[in-house]
Amino acid sequence: MIRSMTGYGAGHGAAAGEELDVEVRSVNHKFCEVKVRLPREYAALELEAAKAVKDRLARGSVDVSIRRAAGAGGLAPRVDVQLAEAYARAFAELQARLGLAAGATLADILAADGVVRLEERDVNLDGAREALRAGLGAALEALLEMRAREGEALARDLAARLATVEALAARVAVLAPQAVEHHRARLEERLAELARGVALDPARLAQEVALLADRSDVAEELTRLASHAAQVRALLGGGEPAGRKLDFLVQEMHREVNTVGSKSQSAEIAGVVVALKAEIERMREQVQNVE
């Protein structure tokens, strides 16, 4: 079944102390364009993330957002042990000089200025890579599932419109020979009025009708239109990305219908051609959403 290019997915990955939350969003695009946003310390993983997306998606503008999971911040406490020892000696000397019985506690030393400070935690790039693979993989699976559901809806809509196009084309196939016969009758009536009793040349009349029939023959266009419709139906039931092929086929269908309209001398056929163009245009709009 075809897939849409619109979707969303989220995932979480953890490995070796690294925890990442990943979100993936995609919308329509002629090609596969991937933008990755991630913390500066994970910049080395940007190309890997983009490649992983392109390995799974054929088309679409894709935004990938990667961030550290809540509670897995990049800051870690650092204790200056030498400074803490210096504080302990200073507190002990002061205690002895002042004759105080109670000594300084660990809490007193840790609270002293500069003993404990927050620093950026060293990044475990290998752990982050594994966490990214897990989180991005889960996000892409969710994205693909949504794109598949959207694709099913698109396929149903396109199939219904395709059936309408085929029904209208069949109507043209019925009307075309009737239009030629109608023209022959009208031409015969006009010539009879102009001749005013003079015998008509049946051969000449037949020749004129044959010329009109040749100029207004749309059998070839209708055959190609039917072929394009069959190919569209096959693509709708396939499992491969088909957006570009569908776009091309719908354009060709529109071209054939335009030719039918330019050849037709019938007001009734012209009305059917207008309906055909409208339905094919709706198909073209929907095809823009197909991967």
Side-chain angles (χ1 to χ4, degrees), residues 11-14 22 129-139:
H12 177 84
V22 182
R129 181 176 287 107
E130 290 302 316
L132 176 60
R133 287 174 182 168
L136 183 57

Side-chain angles (χ1 to χ4, degrees), residues 116-177:
V116 180
R117 60 183 182 272
L118 294 177
E119 296 180 351
E120 285 196 9
R121 180 172 57 82
D122 293 335
V123 172
N124 183 335
L125 199 58
D126 290 335
R129 181 176 287 107
E130 290 302 316
L132 176 60
R133 287 174 182 168
L136 183 57
L140 286 173
E141 285 297 329
L143 174 76
L144 288 169
E145 184 178 344
M146 179 177 289
R147 286 170 66 139
R149 289 197 303 269
E150 293 287 333
E152 290 178 2
L154 284 174
R156 288 193 298 269
D157 183 78
L158 287 169
R161 298 192 183 281
L162 187 63
T164 301
V165 167
E166 290 173 322
L168 291 170
R171 178 63 178 158
V172 173
V174 171
L175 291 174

Side-chain angles (χ1 to χ4, degrees), residues 202-285:
R204 180 61 178 167
L205 178 61
Q207 184 181 11
E208 289 296 329
V209 173
L211 288 173
L212 174 69
D214 183 62
R215 288 195 302 268
S216 60
D217 182 17
V218 294
E220 186 177 344
E221 287 75 19
L222 293 178
T223 298
R224 284 196 294 265
L225 181 60
S227 174
H228 297 329
Q231 292 180 68
V232 169
R233 181 168 283 104
L235 289 171
L236 293 179
E240 298 298 322
R244 292 181 187 176
K245 292 180 180 178
L246 288 171
D247 188 40
F248 171 76
L249 287 169
V250 170
Q251 289 183 42
E252 290 302 302
M253 290 170 67
H254 192 272
R255 191 193 311 276
E256 300 300 342
V257 171
N258 267 339
T259 305
V260 170
S262 65
K263 284 186 173 184
S264 173
Q265 302 295 320
S266 164
E268 192 171 1
I269 291 179
V272 177
V273 166
V274 170
L276 273 167
K277 287 182 177 180
E279 205 64 30
I280 291 173
E281 177 59 25
R282 295 186 187 102
M283 289 182 65
R284 189 194 67 80
E285 292 174 355

